[in-house]
Amino acid sequence: MTETTATKFPTRVFSGIQPSGGLTLGNYLGALKRFAEKQDEGIETIYCIVDMHAITVWQDPAKLRNATRELTAAYIACGIDPERSILFNQSQVTAHAELAWIFNCVARMGWMGRMTQWKDKTAGKDAEAASLGLFAYPSLMAADILAYKATHVPVGEDQKQHLELTRDIATKFNHDYGVNFFPITEPVIEGAATRVMSLRDGSKKMSKSDPSDASRINLTDDADTIAKKLKRAVTDPEPLPETPEGLANRAEARNLVNIYAGLSGKSAAEVLGDFGGKGFGVFKPALADLAVSVLAPISAEMTRLMQDPAEIDRLLGRGADRADAIAHPILEQVYDIVGMVRSRRR
């Protein structure tokens, strides 16, 4: 077991995804594939469906339940083993909400107001009409991580600021109470395709909210659809360069090369070593074949798993029990540190 440098914390990975529906290739390469790979590193891995984060904006209850189960199916279909990892939905472990309140009292208003995603989501709108949850959810994110004293969190580039806030909250809590209780969690950003871009515009992130379905590969797409979308992806007329430096001003080409790299486990340089000097008439069919070989089985397995929602719920409940066994004692220690009377022990 490895340890962090500041204090001896066992290495523990935590990450979560919102059940907002519409999982894409970006979710797979940027998160789910890497989550599965972490299971082979001999460290504890905890993966969460963060359904409490989802309700910072209104959700249809039936759709939220379905999206939670679909995301669980995606985790498993992408290689997360509920026996090797802890897999659960956030709302079944009360320590998340309880610790978030403690952190609401540690975090500062100014910290929340500077969060880029808050500014983006309220830009040009009446911020006073947004939910308090939308403003304060970064402290819940910190609680998600620190309820398990997680030392490492796989994140995309767009989530680095939230992890920095988690580090700030942990540092302030430790300082305010004169303890070295929480680790200063480290981000884990790795891989060639941690940020997958639109198939129609290489300057924009692949997103389920894009009006054009052709802009993305959905994890529920069948083999024919995957192949058609990649073969029709926007490119330029030039052949692929010999080295990654040649992709500097070619956003669409760079995106497709990175996707190939992410799916194959190769570096961009290795991909260009195979395809440099060749046109997209050669590269796109090869990419389509690779994507179908990787993604079509995931789509099929998600469909199979979704046919038995009771089994998905059972797995989530069992994961929640395992998560609670870690988080509840940590929460009790936090209450003791803060000065809460704890005469009723579970």
Side-chain angles (χ1 to χ4, degrees):
M1 203 60 93
T2 58
E3 297 171 345
T4 59
T5 54
T7 297
K8 296 181 179 180
F9 296 99
T11 301
R12 181 177 286 152
V13 170
F14 176 93
S15 199
I17 300 176
Q18 279 197 45
S20 53
L23 293 165
T24 71
L25 174 64
N27 297 115
Y28 174 68
L29 290 179
L32 294 168
K33 179 176 183 285
R34 294 185 296 134
F35 292 177
E37 292 167 349
K38 287 292 173 191
Q39 296 176 131
D40 297 325
E41 296 181 9
I43 55 180
E44 189 169 27
T45 46
I46 303 174
Y47 297 126
C48 184
I49 293 92
V50 289
D51 49 358
M52 294 172 70
H53 285 290
I55 63 168
T56 56
V57 295
W58 192 86
Q59 301 287 332
D60 177 273
K63 290 182 179 178
L64 178 58
R65 290 187 195 97
N66 184 74
T68 298
R69 291 170 179 143
E70 182 180 75
L71 179 52
T72 305
Y75 268 110
I76 297 170
C78 290
I80 301 299
D81 182 348
E83 296 300 320
R84 297 170 65 200
S85 294
I86 297 175
L87 177 62
F88 69 105
N89 59 308
Q90 178 189 30
S91 62
Q92 293 206 75
V93 180
T94 61
H96 291 251
E98 293 183 63
L99 187 57
W101 177 254
I102 300 293
F103 287 167
N104 282 344
C105 300
V106 173
R108 304 292 92 178
M109 290 283 287
W111 297 0
M112 299 298 184
R114 288 191 291 271
M115 300 302 290
T116 300
Q117 288 196 10
W118 165 255
K119 293 177 182 178
D120 290 346
K121 289 177 180 179
T122 57
K125 303 175 184 177
D126 183 1
E128 293 186 2
S131 74
L132 179 59
L134 185 62
F135 181 72
Y137 88 88
S139 70
L140 175 58
M141 184 178 289
D144 298 336
I145 296 164
L146 295 175
Y148 304 94
K149 292 190 176 181
T151 56
H152 295 81
V153 176
V155 293
E157 288 286 348
D158 57 343
Q159 291 293 319
K160 283 181 66 178
Q161 189 185 33
H162 288 101
L163 190 55
E164 288 166 2
L165 180 71
T166 297
R167 291 162 58 91
D168 289 342
I169 288 174
T171 299
K172 191 172 189 302
F173 181 93
N174 290 344
H175 176 268
D176 287 353
Y177 291 100
V179 294
N180 209 347
F181 186 73
F182 287 120
I184 308 305
T185 308
E186 296 290 337
V188 179
I189 302 172
E190 56 193 19
T194 55
R195 187 174 177 86
V196 179
M197 312 308 283
S198 166
L199 299 179
R200 311 305 297 171
D201 182 349
S203 68
K204 296 180 180 178
K205 187 177 178 181
M206 184 177 285
S207 171
K208 65 182 175 59
S209 62
D210 193 305
S212 172
D213 188 61
S215 70
R216 59 186 171 269
I217 303 293
N218 304 299
L219 289 190
T220 52
D221 285 342
D222 60 25
D224 286 344
T225 303
I226 293 168
K228 286 178 183 176
K229 286 181 177 179
L230 286 170
K231 289 176 182 178
R232 295 172 181 173
V234 172
T235 52
D236 56 50
E238 300 298 320
L240 286 170
E242 302 286 342
T243 64
E245 289 74 18
L247 296 171
N249 296 311
R250 301 175 63 186
E252 285 77 20
R254 182 172 62 250
N255 185 41
L256 294 186
V257 168
N258 281 343
I259 289 172
Y260 194 109
L263 289 170
S264 65
K266 296 181 177 181
S267 67
E270 289 172 322
V271 175
L272 293 174
D274 294 334
F275 292 97
K278 297 178 181 177
F280 286 101
V282 173
F283 182 69
K284 281 185 179 180
L287 175 58
D289 288 345
L290 173 62
V292 167
S293 71
V294 174
L295 299 177
I298 292 173
S299 175
E301 179 64 0
M302 285 178 64
T303 299
R304 186 191 71 80
L305 290 166
M306 286 296 287
Q307 293 172 352
D308 191 355
E311 175 61 10
I312 291 176
D313 292 357
R314 185 192 72 80
L315 291 171
L316 288 174
R318 185 169 178 276
D321 288 341
R322 293 171 65 197
D324 187 68
I326 298 171
H328 185 76
I330 290 173
L331 177 67
E332 289 293 331
Q333 288 178 281
V334 169
Y335 281 140
D336 284 338
I337 290 168
V338 171
M340 305 293 190
V341 173
R342 312 304 294 157
S343 56
R344 179 179 174 272
R345 300 277 181 176
R346 192 169 72 181

